[in-house]
Amino acid sequence: MPLLTLFVTGTAPRSQRARVNLAQMLNRIGRSDIQPYEIDLLEQPGQGITHSVFATPSLVKANETGEVSVLYGDLSDEERLSHFLADLARSG
């Protein structure tokens, strides 16, 4: 699984907000170089079951040891999103 995977449902408003909020936060923490992999569950519904994601939008983060964390919602809570991505932030 890629480092960040964003599960969405097409062009639904919450999915669109999640895309924008994630891109803005990655830019803010100095990681605009990270391109999240996106899975649209309208096009690939089986991927939700494969990855145990049953609500969208959902942001899944995998680390190098295979540990997975999930953040649900449109990612509009900046504090929660910042904390979720804190290990990816560039220092300096």
Side-chain angles (χ1 to χ4, degrees):
M1 174 174 269
L3 178 64
L4 292 176
T5 304
L6 182 62
F7 289 85
V8 296
T9 48
T11 59
R14 288 175 49 83
S15 293
Q16 290 179 339
R17 282 193 304 270
R19 288 180 184 105
V20 169
N21 291 334
L22 179 56
Q24 289 175 343
M25 184 59 70
L26 288 171
N27 190 50
R28 190 172 303 138
I29 66 172
R31 293 310 308 259
S32 56
D33 60 313
I34 295 176
Q35 292 288 47
Y37 183 71
E38 190 171 294
I39 296 176
D40 185 338
L41 293 183
L42 292 177
E43 295 175 4
Q44 302 176 53
Q47 291 295 317
I49 295 168
T50 300
H51 297 287
S52 299
V53 171
F54 301 102
T56 61
S58 298
L59 179 61
V60 176
K61 178 178 68 172
N63 66 20
E64 52 282 339
T65 64
E67 184 179 335
V68 174
S69 303
V70 182
L71 183 61
Y72 294 99
D74 67 3
L75 310 179
S76 61
D77 185 331
E78 291 183 13
E79 186 175 331
R80 283 184 61 211
L81 182 56
S82 178
H83 180 73
F84 186 78
L85 298 174
D87 60 326
L88 303 179
R90 288 204 171 132
S91 58

